[in-house]
Amino acid sequence: MDSAKSESTPTQPVIQILPEVLANQIAAGEVVERPASVVKELVENSLDAGATQIEVKIEQGGKKLIRVADNGCGMNGSQARLSLQRHATSKIIDAEDLFRINTMGFRGEALPSIASVSHLTLESRVASEVDGVQLELKGGKDLEERRVVMPQGSRIVVRNLFFNTPARLKFMRADKTESNHVTEFLQRLALANPQVGFRLIVNGKETLHIRAGVDESSMEGRLGVILGGDFSANCLSIDSEQDQVKVSGWLGLPTLHRGSGAGMYLFVNGRWVRDKVINHAVREAYRDLMPRDRYPVVALFIDLPPQQVDVNVHPAKQEVRFVHRNFIHSLIKRSLQEALTSMGCRTYHQPVVDAQDDAGHEPPPQIASLSGNVTADLPPAVSKPVQWDRGQFTKTGSSRQPSMGSGGSSWGATSGGVGVKEGWGSDQTSTGKYSQPETTPSKQESNKAQLFQHQGPMGQALAQVHGTYILAQNSEGIILVDQHAAHERIVYEELKNNFASSGLQRQILLIPEVLELSTAEAGRVEKQLDNLAKLGLLVEPFGANTFTVRELPAILGTSSVKNLLLDLVTDLEKYGTTGALDNQLDDLLTTMACHGSVRANRSMTIEEMNSLLRQIEKTHYSGQCSHGRPTYITITLPELEKMFGRR
């Protein structure tokens, strides 16, 4: 029996030090995910070395060859040898340096980790030496050293990546996919480093060449190459700063959206990151301006003291942790909203127009919301249904009355509810009939100047098309307006403003809602009781892991109280009180605005149409409805001339 017991006793494991090569391979598993990871580590080292020109060559998606050459400061022989040792770095001296990282790389794991899973050749020369040093390793072993003639800088060649770890090769994608990952990474770095030129050669063919330059034209070209040729003409610049935190970059117009977040380039102190706080703040800023499942196109840079951000929370340094994340979230969201508000009546391909200066209107109050039964304060001509004859109109005094008689039409509507602007190429007579006048070019220009003298950026209404779209003309061309979408945005902003001015109204529940939560959920809710009260939810403890909800915001009703409570707690933990109720309120207000707006297939008079155009001009975010659809499109005169072969 004793022998049987001894046979079943497991062997005690022995603690031992891993061989250096194996330790490097394990580290490589964290740092080197794919060929693009190798390019990332090597190019970041080039940037830290002060390079202004970086060339990358890859073959077979980087699996066969990766070559990174730069004109940085370079390394001498002893420094080059030391760089191949684990945790050898020139960027960290003591523990305090970990909390003020100013460089792209700092751990000292990249080169030895890459060398352990490849055939690596390192060449480097400093300015003070005539020739450079060349070091070769195979799988991190068999170091060979020789002198080499080369310019100042460094060249690192990585061949046969993962040759000694074939299991990793099984997870590699197709060559084209891996090459695309390399291209995407270089594009990100190019946005953050305009002073550096980048060149990518894939299988002997140049696929990316971005020249160095910090002037406006160079940056415009760089944005076009990386974010698309239409981005430069359809973006807003942003530059905001508060408490040593700077938010800058370029924001694509809401009409320039994508089906994924691939067009969102987010940087913290020059480092591209995937950060939930920044991502959420950006999407919240665009929340009312595009469909819920679409993503904006932005290049956004957050710069702050290195002591306020931890970049050492991810092996590939793609995630960060902010000391004051609620403040960062609030600042980003507010800065982007202010920039988007300033775009006024600007839509795809249309120049920026300042709503206050050019349209002659004061902007509406800052964004807010609604309590009780509130009707948007809109001009009666727009908010009330009007029935009118679809026959021809004649002009009588300053008003236009329906006419069933014959003769030429002025402001009237022909079949299908399409109106025709009076006096276009005609003279008015007492019978309402018109004849073509003789005009000189100077008189035509004078008439055109008078036509646009008192109008705003949206121009003058000409007609209603199919009972749904308004055709307008301004000095730049023509505009087509979706009457329902445009009025929906106007009503939505009115509702939000009224909500803010009236405050957050609560309703007392006749029978308090009793919620039984898990221990973890109860602990989270208890920490946020004060903040929940500020948001209109009066929640009180009611025994172990149980709470009663006695008051709720009146606009929310009483449905799904538990889900609402837990969602708010989650938002409060992530982002503070900023925007915690936005999702719930915005969805409700969007529905209300939709039902309170001018519907499609509702005939409108010219006065109504012009009244709607004037309201669009003084409404924030008027280029999109509250569902994110465009409210109007423009066709410029040059575009019209091109359509008709005039240019």
Side-chain angles (χ1 to χ4, degrees), residues 422-439 443 447:
E422 76 168 284
W424 269 42
S426 59
D427 281 338
Q428 182 182 354
T429 66
S430 59
T431 61
K433 297 182 180 180
Y434 299 86
S435 61
Q436 180 69 30
E438 293 183 3
T439 58
K443 186 174 181 180
N447 291 340

Side-chain angles (χ1 to χ4, degrees), residues 35-57:
S37 304
V38 175
V39 175
K40 173 184 182 298
E41 297 294 341
L42 299 182
V43 173
E44 287 181 347
N45 282 342
S46 296
L47 292 173
D48 287 339
T52 58
Q53 295 292 335
I54 300 175
E55 181 183 88
V56 178
K57 291 183 179 180

